[in-house]
């Protein structure tokens, strides 16, 4: 079973009131073979205008949908899901949390794994209370209150974790 081009045209026409063959917005088909979704693409989508996600099921889309109604194809990884719904939710979650006001503190999304602030690397480890548990200690530097040394320790941890 394949999603039909005439049915998709009717759905898009009904939703947006324009001919889907001349898309006025970004229309992204979720496909296993599309551009791999990553933090850079999440940022690109968050910075851009509204977009539409199309989810397939069964064998996927009639190729004419991809050719004529879609601006992009995006994959959330090199594996096959039963449908595009979970992939769409992954895209929405990663994009929405980059929008201003979505997180408790906007800065939370600035310095994290894959961000420019960490040169695209992985985030450093986090700790919270208690400082000691079953002999497992929070690193001394984090308890020192010395902000510059803490910053440097985090940068170094991030560098170490990001080594190939
Ligand atoms: C069973 S899959 C179709 C697989 C397709 N016949 C193929 O071999 O590439 C059904 C739908 O799930 C979605 N899907 C499956 N894996 C995906 C992935 N890794 N990323 C994004 N969407 C995916 C797509 O919308 C796809 O049309």
């Amino acid at each position: 079973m394949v999603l039909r081009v005439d049915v998709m045209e009717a759905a898009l026409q009904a939703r947006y009131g324009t001919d889907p063959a001349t898309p006025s917005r970004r229309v992204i088909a979720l496909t296993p073979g599309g551009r791999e979704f990553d933090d850079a693409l999440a940022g690109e989508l968050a910075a851009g205008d509204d977009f539409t996600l199309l989810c397939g099921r069964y064998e996927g889309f009639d190729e004419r949908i991809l050719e004529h109604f879609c601006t992009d194809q995006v994959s959330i990884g090199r594996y096959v899901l039963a449908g595009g719904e979970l992939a769409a939710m992954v895209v929405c979650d990663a994009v929405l949390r980059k929008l201003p006001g979505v997180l408790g503190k906007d800065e939370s999304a600035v310095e994290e794994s894959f961000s420019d602030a960490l040169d695209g690397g992985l985030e450093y480890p986090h700790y919270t209370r208690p400082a000691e548990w079953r002999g497992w200690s929070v690193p001394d530097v984090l308890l020192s209150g010395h902000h510059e040394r803490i910053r440097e320790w985090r940068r170094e941890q991030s560098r170490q974790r990001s080594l190939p």
Side-chain angles (χ1 to χ4, degrees), residues 30-32 54-61 74-84 87:
L30 281 320
T31 61
L54 300 183
C55 303
R57 272 265 154 188
Y58 310 107
E59 279 298 339
F61 300 96
V74 167
S75 168
I76 62 158
R78 296 304 191 231
Y79 44 81
V80 177
L81 302 165

Side-chain angles (χ1 to χ4, degrees), residues 10-25:
L12 289 169
Q13 174 81 46
R15 176 65 184 84
Y16 299 114
T18 54
D19 179 0
T22 49
S24 53
R25 55 168 45 224

Side-chain angles (χ1 to χ4, degrees), residues 90-101:
V90 167
V91 171
C92 288
D93 189 303
V95 171
L96 287 171
R97 67 191 298 282
K98 287 184 181 289
L99 298 181

